[in-house]
Amino acid sequence: MNPFYRIFGGLLLVLIDIHLGQIEILADFIGYLMVLSSLNGMDGNLKGMKGARTTALIISMLAIPLAFIGQPTGTTMGVSISTDLVTIYHQFTTIVHLILAYFLFYVFMDWSRKEGKEELRKRTHKLFQFYLGAHILYFVLIPFSINIPENVTIPLFILGLGALLIMEIAFLVLIRTYHKEHQNIVPI
């Protein structure tokens, strides 16, 4: 099976959150294991591959409890930065996911360079900059939301989460492009 297809499927599984009470039906750790499995089947000499494999293994293990602890609970007192352990754990795994994406971008750029797909490499690099920039900006602004009035904070969080969702979908579309390019190179 095409490794890019499995990475696509794994990250799509991570993106989709369906919960039955506290239990996540489509567990994230299964998606991360799919990503790890596909990375193990790829050329180990690609730039970023060692970091991607290590990070995928780490987040696969970190994501197992997420299938059972559910989502962080909101507050009835308005918007606040929660410091409960579930929220901190979710934020930590989100940062590890961002690190995995960082290494995956490098793997993809090196693969496209080795295959002579310069236009695809440039497209990947451009999305890489937007993807990382949007996520870093979001995480940097979270602590400042404590000092912003609630009527401004809620729309900003909704816009920020919308931008991050768009970046995740754009990343999946890019991985799908890599899948198609890999199929053109390696006949089925």
Side-chain angles (χ1 to χ4, degrees), residues 79 141-154 156-157:
V79 176
L141 292 179
I142 286 176
F144 295 105
S145 66
I146 239 172
N147 298 321
I148 299 173
E150 186 176 313
N151 62 344
V152 175
T153 304
I154 292 174
L156 285 178
F157 271 118

Side-chain angles (χ1 to χ4, degrees), residues 124-137:
T124 305
H125 188 264
K126 191 174 191 177
L127 181 62
F128 172 66
Q129 291 173 328
F130 282 113
Y131 185 93
L132 239 54
H135 280 79
I136 290 171
L137 181 65

